[in-house]
């Protein structure tokens, strides 16, 4: 009598444990762990003599965690394979993060130039000041994002971000630098007017990058009912649906509060996404190279002739 060994391919116990950690612990680790470390180091004065190098170090940790989580527990395994877009997305990340760092370094000069009155609550704990900055910036950035789907000239630049055909962490940092500048200006200017401190601005800059990594992550993590409040990947995938009007939902960067107010919130727990759902139906052959994407908004082909062409 012969014996046949059947290989099920089931993951080992350590792998299952690691996936469980990613599913339920990845988002808290990024939101509270990475951002919390930034707050703690800043409050303790550790970052005072390091310039902005500490921001880069924590961002590198966040990017590494993002890639690790996507490989341990991918939502769509195929999205972990490069579509010859890795170099392009790295270029977007480096350029856009450099712009953010330069902006943070310029905060004292900018604040002195545009500040109306120093109304900032300096006596609050640093974590509360950062939370206030996050909520205020979320409003400005979300509203510019919303307008970018309605106004042709803004859409020209925002379309770069919607040209992606796979959903993974670095997608969040894949933006035309002029559009990123518009969003950040809308998010930070009101804060500068009331005396935003550079320490709070530094932590806010990191929080934005961490949020973009989480929001576009290919990791199949869960946050339970908070998915209706926090602007994370479960909801943001709906924003990247390629059809006209269908993807004009879930505009929030940090929260979905404004989407509920604007009635642009959308979520369907039964919906599964593939690369066929992503991109822009009206522009399936959008340029894929970095320099071509920077130039496209200035070309005739980058125009939107109608509202339907926005997606």
């Amino acid at each position: 009598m012969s014996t046949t060994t059947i290989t099920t391919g089931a993951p080992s116990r350590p792998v299952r444990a690691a996936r469980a950690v990613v599913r339920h612990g990845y988002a808290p680790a990024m939101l509270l762990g990475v951002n919390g470390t930034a707050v703690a180091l800043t409050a303790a004065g550790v970052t005072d003599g390091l310039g902005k190098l500490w921001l880069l170090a924590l961002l590198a940790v966040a990017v590494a965690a993002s890639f690790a989580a996507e490989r341990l527990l991918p939502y769509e395994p195929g999205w972990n394979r490069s579509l010859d877009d890795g170099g392009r997305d790295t270029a977007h990340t480096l350029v856009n993060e450099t712009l953010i760092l330069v902006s943070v370094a310029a905060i004292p000069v900018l604040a002195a130039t545009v500040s109306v009155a120093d109304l900032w609550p300096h006596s609050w704990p640093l974590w509360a000041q950062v939370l206030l900055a996050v909520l205020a910036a979320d409003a400005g950035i979300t509203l510019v994002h919303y307008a970018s789907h309605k106004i042709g000239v803004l859409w020209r630049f925002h379309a770069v971000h919607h040209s992606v055909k796979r959903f993974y962490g670095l997608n969040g940092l894949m933006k035309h630098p002029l559009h990123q500048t518009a969003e950040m200006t809308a998010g930070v200017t009101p804060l500068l007017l009331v005396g935003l401190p550079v320490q709070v601005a530094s932590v806010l800059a990191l929080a934005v990058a961490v949020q973009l990594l989480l929001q576009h992550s290919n990791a199949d993590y869960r946050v339970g009912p908070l998915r209706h409040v926090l602007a994370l990947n479960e909801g943001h995938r709906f924003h990247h649906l390629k059809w006209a009007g269908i993807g004009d939902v879930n505009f929030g960067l940090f929260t979905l509060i404004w989407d509920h107010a604007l009635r642009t919130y959308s979520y369907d727990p039964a919906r599964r996404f593939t690369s066929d759902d992503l991109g822009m139906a009206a522009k399936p052959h959008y340029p894929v190279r970095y320099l071509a994407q920077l130039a496209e908004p200035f070309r005739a082909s980058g125009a939107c002739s109608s509202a339907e062409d926005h997606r």
Side-chain angles (χ1 to χ4, degrees):
M1 183 176 180
S2 62
T3 302
T4 301
T5 300
I6 299 176
T7 302
T8 63
S12 65
R13 182 175 295 177
V15 171
R16 292 198 302 272
R19 289 178 176 174
V21 169
V22 170
R23 188 178 299 278
H24 302 291
Y26 173 57
M30 293 282 274
L31 292 172
L32 302 178
V34 176
N35 291 332
T37 298
V39 169
L41 292 176
T42 302
V46 175
T47 63
D48 291 348
L50 298 178
K52 297 298 171 284
L53 293 178
W54 69 274
L55 271 176
L56 291 175
L58 280 177
L59 177 59
V61 169
V63 171
S66 175
F67 277 103
E70 289 173 339
R71 277 146 186 78
L72 275 169
L73 188 68
Y75 172 84
E76 173 56 61
W79 289 348
N80 283 340
R81 292 191 291 272
S82 174
L83 298 176
D84 197 24
D85 53 6
R88 177 203 69 196
D89 293 350
T90 300
H92 276 292
T93 299
L94 292 175
V95 169
N96 291 335
E97 283 305 306
T98 298
L99 287 174
I100 288 177
L101 291 176
V102 170
S103 300
V104 170
I107 288 294
V109 175
L110 293 172
T113 302
V114 305
S115 178
V116 174
D118 189 1
L119 302 175
W120 190 260
H122 297 279
S123 62
W124 290 12
L126 183 61
W127 66 265
Q129 294 183 50
V130 170
L131 181 59
L132 174 62
V134 162
L135 293 175
D138 186 49
I141 293 171
T142 299
L143 293 176
V144 168
H145 191 181
Y146 176 82
S148 297
H149 283 243
K150 307 298 180 182
I151 301 172
V153 67
L154 288 176
W155 173 254
R156 281 175 172 260
F157 296 94
H158 185 49
V160 170
H161 181 67
H162 278 274
S163 66
V164 298
K165 295 297 293 181
R166 65 183 180 121
F167 211 73
Y168 77 115
L170 286 190
N171 285 163
L173 299 165
M174 180 193 157
K175 298 183 177 186
H176 196 287
L178 291 180
H179 192 267
Q180 175 178 272
T181 299
E183 286 188 331
M184 294 306 295
T185 299
V188 176
T189 298
L191 298 172
L192 291 174
L193 292 174
V194 295
L196 174 70
V198 67
Q199 293 85 355
V200 176
S202 298
V203 180
L204 175 63
L206 178 68
V208 168
V210 168
Q211 185 67 19
L212 290 170
L213 287 169
L214 276 171
Q215 193 175 64
H216 296 82
S217 177
N218 187 32
D220 194 18
Y221 64 83
R222 296 285 189 274
V223 293
L226 287 176
R227 66 177 177 268
H228 302 297
V229 180
L230 301 179
L232 298 173
N233 65 355
E234 281 189 81
H236 197 66
R237 294 186 191 111
F238 292 88
H239 180 73
H240 279 265
L241 288 169
K242 67 182 182 181
W243 298 281
I246 303 300
D248 293 339
V249 298
N250 301 352
F251 293 97
L253 173 60
F254 287 103
T255 76
L256 296 168
I257 294 172
W258 289 97
D259 286 289
H260 286 291
L262 293 168
R263 297 186 178 181
T264 56
Y265 174 70
S266 179
Y267 183 74
D268 176 4
R271 179 68 187 251
R272 286 289 302 180
F273 296 82
T274 69
S275 289
D276 291 337
D277 300 315
L278 307 181
M280 294 178 285
K283 297 183 181 297
H285 303 297
Y286 197 86
V288 296
R289 299 299 181 188
Y290 179 70
L291 293 179
Q293 290 189 338
L294 294 190
E296 184 64 13
F298 301 98
R299 300 180 187 276
S301 56
C304 300
S305 59
S306 68
E308 287 73 20
D309 285 342
H310 284 194
R311 299 309 311 274

